[in-house]
Amino acid sequence: MHQSTSSPTTTRKIEDSFSTSAGSNHISASELVDAVSGTDYKLRIAGTGSVEEDLRRRADDDVEFLGFVSEDRKRDLLARCDALLFNSEHEDFGIVPVEAFASGKPVIGVNEGFTKYQIEEDVNGILFDRGVKNVRDAINKMYGQMWDAEKIQATAERYGMERFEREWCRLIYQEDSEPDAP
């Protein structure tokens, strides 16, 4: 079991490796930047896009822009972070939260789209409603509790190939049993 804690001299690292965070949606990305600026949290944003320049202007030293990252680099970031901060708008299905779960990391995610169904509150992450204060409160909540990496990893299994194949076989062969809940 892992508890995320820090002393006043330790920098907390929140990773946001969602590839369009610095991309086209100013509102969602700016909430992340504003929530972390002026705190002892460290936000690393992977991705590039049209709002990146504005985000760089509003960010303080607590925010690092990584630009485009490869799949290997993304896996490394997820392995080393304390949590994934995920604030996507209009997300039908977010694969990055599943990748974070597979890495044993909690996701601090917006209570919208499919993200609200992926996160089991206090099991594999924390949900928040839009707004800078809500993002910051969710980050603080994440650091204030114990996280079980194995339990978080187990929640990623519902999105794995075995389940996918099993559910397709059920559909193809029209088995009477109900599919597993997501």
Side-chain angles (χ1 to χ4, degrees):
M1 194 171 301
H2 175 263
Q3 180 178 13
S4 299
T5 60
S6 72
S7 67
T9 59
T10 303
T11 300
R12 299 172 182 173
K13 296 176 286 186
I14 300 289
E15 299 282 351
D16 178 3
S17 57
F18 179 56
S19 62
T20 59
S21 290
S24 60
N25 193 318
H26 184 267
I27 293 170
S28 62
S30 65
E31 281 182 342
L32 305 182
V33 170
D34 292 347
V36 170
S37 294
T39 69
D40 64 343
Y41 301 121
K42 176 75 175 169
L43 175 65
R44 303 175 87 191
I45 298 177
T48 62
S50 61
V51 301
E52 182 178 356
E53 189 175 315
D54 182 57
L55 292 174
R56 285 179 180 274
R57 280 194 297 272
R58 72 188 305 141
D60 65 11
D61 292 339
D62 298 322
V63 180
E64 179 181 1
F65 293 86
L66 304 175
F68 172 80
V69 297
S70 67
E71 284 297 312
D72 286 341
R73 176 74 171 126
K74 180 173 63 171
R75 279 191 293 276
D76 182 61
L77 289 167
L78 289 171
R80 295 172 183 266
C81 72
D82 291 336
L84 172 74
L85 187 54
F86 192 75
N87 196 21
S88 179
E89 287 192 343
H90 312 295
E91 188 67 46
D92 294 331
F93 179 84
I95 192 66
V96 177
V98 175
E99 292 170 326
F101 299 150
S103 297
K105 304 301 179 165
V107 175
I108 304 167
V110 67
N111 192 16
E112 295 177 1
F114 197 71
T115 306
K116 69 183 175 186
Y117 301 109
Q118 290 175 305
I119 295 176
E120 295 175 50
E121 190 75 20
D122 301 324
V123 174
N124 64 358
I126 306 289
L127 288 167
F128 64 87
D129 293 322
R130 292 220 175 267
V132 172
K133 181 184 181 316
N134 295 333
V135 175
R136 193 173 286 163
D137 288 349
I139 294 169
N140 289 331
K141 183 178 178 184
M142 188 281 301
Y143 276 109
Q145 66 188 67
M146 301 287 287
W147 294 99
D148 183 334
E150 289 178 10
K151 195 177 231 183
I152 294 170
Q153 287 172 327
T155 66
E157 291 173 12
R158 72 181 99 167
Y159 305 103
M161 283 301 295
E162 281 184 26
R163 178 169 181 241
F164 179 78
E165 290 172 356
R166 186 176 63 244
E167 297 302 325
W168 271 106
C169 285
R170 259 191 209 147
L171 288 171
I172 292 169
Y173 299 113
Q174 298 181 358
E175 293 179 6
D176 291 334
S177 61
E178 289 291 316
D180 295 339

